Structures are given as C-alpha cells and as structure tokens.
Amino acid sequence: MPQTSILLPPTRIRHTVAKAAPLTDAQRKERAEHNSLRQADIDNAVEHWKQSTMNTVSELARQFNKKERYFLDLFFQGGAKLIHKHQKVNTHNAFLHAKANELRENGEVPTLIKLHSEEYKAEYDELTLAEREELVTRHTESISDAHRQRPTAKACVQDVCSTFRTIEQLLKGLKVCVGVEAFFCIVRNTPDYHMEPEWYFTSQALMDYMKVAVPIHKGWDLAHVGAKLEAFAIAGCDPINLYRTSKQKADEMKRQIREKITRMLSNITGNSNATMHYIGYEDKIVQRYGVELVGWTYENFVNPSELSTLLPGLKKLLDAINDGTCKFVKLSPLELKARRQDHQKAIDDGSAPASKTRKPRKDRGTKRKKGDVEEDKENVKKDGCVQPVPKKSRVSVNSDSEAEV
C-alpha cells in the first residue's frame, strides 16, 4: 500500500519580550544629560530657523516695499487678516465730526477749510477735559449706531465676497499646514439683495467625488444644489415651510416636537439612550430620572402623534420648546420624595393607574431546560401580561428520515 503523509499544522511559537531591567542612578543621570543636550540642539535649530525666516521677511519687505507683517501673514496664515486693530478715538476728530454735523443742520457745507479755521481751533483749545471726554463718548455712540444700520445691497455683496476670500485663504493655509480637504457653500437667506451661491473646494478631485457620492437624479450640479440650498435658507431653514399641505406640516411639527423632547431628556440626564415615555410618564421619567417636563402648552399630556393636527396649537408648543419655555427641570431630593409619596397615594386611592409589571415565572429560581427557554421566547405580551403560545407538536426524526408526531 502506498504510504500517505499527514500534514500537521505548524508549531505555534510564542515570542515573549523580557521586561527591561530598571535603570541605575548613573544611567538615569546620563539619560537626563543626553536629553538636555538634545533639547538644547532642538532649541538652537528652531532659533536659527526663526532668525533666517525673519531675515527673509525683512529682505522681502525692502524688496517689495511692504510691511514685514504682510509676509508673516502669507507664511503662517495664508494671507488672511485675522486680527483687526481698533485705534482709540481721537478727541480732535470727534470735535470736527460734531462741528460738521452742526454745519449740515444749518444748511452749510462742512468743507475742510471751514472746519480747520482759527475760530474752531480756538474753540477746541478752550474745551475742558470733561467736555472732551463727552465729545469722544458721543462720537463713539454715533459710530456704533452707524454700524448697526442695515447695509445696502451692494455693501452686503461686497461683505460676502470679502469674507469668502478670507475663508478661502484660511482653508488653503490649513491644507498646507496640517493637510485637510474641505468645501463650503455660501447662500443668502434673505431676498433683499441678489447673490449667486458661492462654492469652494480645496481640490478638483473632491468636487468630482461629490458627483459619485451624492445620488442625485440629474447628477451633482453645483448650480442646482446651490439653488436648492438658497431656497431652503430663504424659507427660514425650516423644513416645515417646504411642505404644501397642512397635514404634512402638522406631521413635521410633531416629528420635531418628539425629537427635541427626547434630545432635551438626554441632555439633562446625561444618558444618550434615554427614551421619552408619555404612557407611564410618572414612573419611567419622573421617578426614574428625577426630572419633570414643564411648560407643556396643551391641556392633556399625550404623545405628540396623538395631538390635534391644528397648526396654531402645534406651533405654540414647538415655539415653547425652541425658546426654552417648555423644558425639563431637575427635582430636588425633597421634591422627588414628595412627588413619589403623592403618586403612591394616588395609586392607593385608584385615581392613578398602577404601573404594569411583567408577572414572574412560576418556575422562578429553578434551572430551566433549553426547550423551555426557547418556548418562553415565543410568548407575546398583551394587556401588560404574558400570554403563552400554544405548544407546538414536537417532531422527531428517526434514522430512516420518517417523521413521528
């Protein structure tokens, strides 16, 4: 007979790493000196890089007749001006501003020759310190009031374009420094002025990827998607305004109410898995978490899906949740104890239903067979109790594959 060889699995070799021996005092001292010298070399190298960089900045500033800060911003921030210097209000300028307003009120033109005349100069010199401080205060208030005025349509577009360029420079610098890819879109949320949606991608490959990643019927089109985002922003960024029928708006309001109440419960309890219960609210929410929902605008406290579809009532409750009028509050230990006693008294009086609990098994405390455990899993819950499912006929199969019932 031919001999057959049996292939055995390779022997598993365990590699163990021996624990390093503790360092002696001399070794620790030597390592500390080595680390100190290495850190000194690093500091010297960084200082040398700083000096060479500042020398390069000074040379570029002289060559192009620019300030050194201009090239430092280009090197480290991509040219974005993140800091705007606010200078102190000059007293003389505040005085000239007040005189110019007086001339306009009198119907005269405030020319530079008239404002810098000897008459006004002598009046300025005679002002006391308190009067000058009052001029500065009034001038500062007038400037703040002017800044609060609503800009024109052209000013809005210019402000958006300036901000767009700043964000673009920041993202370019961030991509060079730490290596990121990003994109953003700017759309207007008011019809007061016209502006096309503005897109920016840090790379062309990212924009090409969006055509594959986002399943749109007509394909990923920047103009189409931007128009959709603009319409949503002008509508107030509220999905409710996008629905046409009252039924759809009511359903959306109810969905937002449910989600926001659940989110508020998770935030106040610190439990991300917390679920809101409207049936058994006293036991499952108040007694369990020690919190109470206040500011409910309806007379009856029920699941939002069971509320009326009238939009004014739903909007009132949703607004109360958004502005914080309807919210969860924590109960103190004394309040929770009194609440528990009142609830138990109401259960004893029959004015409040008792909490439904699952009945314990008859064979509780005894070891169960595997077949009984699987059979118990098939039980269904009905009216707060467990109803057993009729036992199925067990089928056994013999060696001849004939079923016996």
Side-chain angles (χ1 to χ4, degrees):
M1 294 179 62
Q3 296 180 355
T4 58
S5 60
I6 301 175
L7 297 178
L8 298 176
T11 305
R12 185 177 180 181
I13 301 176
R14 297 181 180 271
H15 297 277
T16 57
V17 179
K19 187 177 180 180
L23 299 178
T24 61
D25 295 339
Q27 290 175 337
R28 290 194 184 94
K29 184 177 180 180
E30 182 182 358
R31 176 173 292 186
E33 293 177 355
H34 173 73
N35 293 339
S36 178
L37 294 175
R38 187 169 182 271
Q39 185 62 40
D41 294 339
I42 293 176
D43 295 340
N44 293 332
V46 172
E47 187 64 27
H48 175 71
W49 173 80
K50 288 182 179 179
Q51 292 295 333
S52 61
T53 302
M54 294 304 300
N55 293 336
T56 305
V57 167
S58 301
E59 182 180 354
L60 291 175
R62 290 192 301 269
Q63 181 180 353
F64 296 98
N65 194 19
K66 293 279 190 178
K67 293 183 178 180
E68 295 182 355
R69 186 66 201 177
Y70 174 80
F71 294 98
L72 289 174
D73 290 341
L74 287 178
F75 288 170
F76 299 102
Q77 299 174 1
K81 296 181 180 180
L82 303 180
I83 301 176
H84 300 275
K85 185 180 294 183
H86 297 276
Q87 297 181 354
K88 187 178 180 180
V89 177
N90 185 274
T91 309
H92 187 256
N93 291 338
F95 172 78
L96 295 179
H97 182 267
K99 289 303 176 182
N101 291 335
E102 290 181 4
L103 293 175
R104 291 191 188 95
E105 292 177 357
N106 297 330
E108 301 181 22
V109 179
T111 61
L112 289 176
I113 297 176
K114 188 176 298 185
L115 291 175
H116 289 276
S117 61
E118 292 296 332
E119 178 184 359
Y120 287 154
K121 183 178 180 181
E123 183 180 353
Y124 174 75
D125 293 337
E126 295 177 356
L127 293 175
T128 62
L129 181 61
E131 291 175 343
R132 295 187 180 188
E133 291 179 354
E134 184 181 358
L135 275 175
V136 172
T137 303
R138 285 188 296 176
H139 182 68
T140 304
E141 293 176 354
S142 63
I143 292 177
S144 61
D145 293 339
H147 288 171
R148 284 196 294 267
Q149 293 179 358
R150 189 173 182 85
T152 61
K154 183 178 180 180
C156 290
V157 176
Q158 291 177 348
D159 194 10
V160 171
C161 293
S162 176
T163 305
F164 183 89
R165 289 192 297 267
T166 302
I167 299 176
E168 182 180 351
Q169 292 172 355
L170 286 174
L171 290 179
K172 286 182 180 179
L174 194 63
K175 180 179 180 180
V176 174
C177 293
V178 300
V180 298
E181 299 290 348
F183 72 95
F184 67 89
C185 178
I186 295 181
V187 296
R188 60 193 176 105
N189 63 355
T190 174
D192 295 343
Y193 63 94
H194 177 71
M195 183 196 72
E196 295 293 336
E198 294 289 341
W199 288 88
Y200 173 73
F201 290 83
T202 54
S203 65
Q204 180 67 28
L206 187 61
M207 183 171 62
D208 296 338
Y209 170 73
M210 296 303 297
K211 299 178 181 179
V212 182
V214 182
I216 299 180
H217 177 64
K218 296 182 179 180
W220 175 265
D221 182 32
L222 294 182
H224 177 72
V225 177
K228 291 285 188 181
L229 290 175
E230 185 181 64
F232 179 70
I234 293 177
C237 294
D238 191 353
I240 298 174
N241 297 330
L242 301 179
Y243 293 102
R244 297 181 178 179
T245 65
S246 300
K247 178 65 168 57
Q248 293 174 341
K249 293 182 179 180
D251 293 341
E252 176 62 22
M253 286 185 180
K254 293 179 181 180
R255 183 193 66 81
Q256 291 188 19
I257 291 172
R258 286 193 301 269
E259 290 186 355
K260 292 183 178 183
I261 289 179
T262 303
R263 192 181 306 120
M264 289 191 301
L265 179 63
S266 300
N267 293 336
I268 196 171
T269 59
N271 183 7
S272 59
N273 297 324
T275 304
M276 182 61 187
H277 294 273
Y278 298 90
I279 300 177
Y281 161 78
E282 188 69 27
D283 292 326
K284 299 178 181 179
I285 300 299
V286 178
Q287 304 298 333
R288 179 179 180 182
Y289 297 111
V291 297
E292 181 184 9
L293 182 65
V294 298
W296 185 262
T297 57
Y298 282 87
E299 182 178 357
N300 297 328
F301 183 73
V302 295
N303 193 307
S305 60
E306 301 178 8
L307 295 175
S308 172
T309 56
L310 295 178
L311 297 182
L314 294 173
K315 187 177 185 304
K316 182 179 179 181
L317 177 57
L318 186 58
D319 292 342
I321 294 175
N322 291 331
D323 61 24
T325 307
C326 181
K327 60 182 180 179
F328 280 99
V329 295
K330 282 186 174 294
L331 298 177
S332 64
L334 294 178
E335 292 175 342
L336 185 59
K337 182 179 180 181
R339 189 72 174 259
R340 185 178 294 112
Q341 293 175 354
D342 295 340
H343 180 58
Q344 185 62 40
K345 183 179 179 180
I347 293 176
D348 297 338
D349 297 341
S351 57
S355 58
K356 297 181 180 180
T357 57
R358 184 175 177 178
K359 295 181 180 180
R361 303 192 316 266
K362 295 181 179 180
D363 56 350
R364 180 180 178 182
T366 60
K367 189 175 181 180
R368 309 175 66 195
K369 297 180 180 179
K370 182 178 180 181
D372 296 337
V373 175
E374 294 178 352
E375 186 176 305
D376 184 63
K377 290 181 180 179
E378 297 177 356
N379 294 343
V380 295
K381 293 182 179 180
K382 185 177 181 182
D383 298 332
C385 59
V386 178
Q387 300 292 338
V389 175
K391 295 183 179 180
K392 297 181 179 179
S393 301
R394 298 185 180 179
V395 179
S396 60
V397 181
N398 58 14
S399 59
D400 296 334
S401 300
E402 294 179 357
E404 295 180 355
V405 181

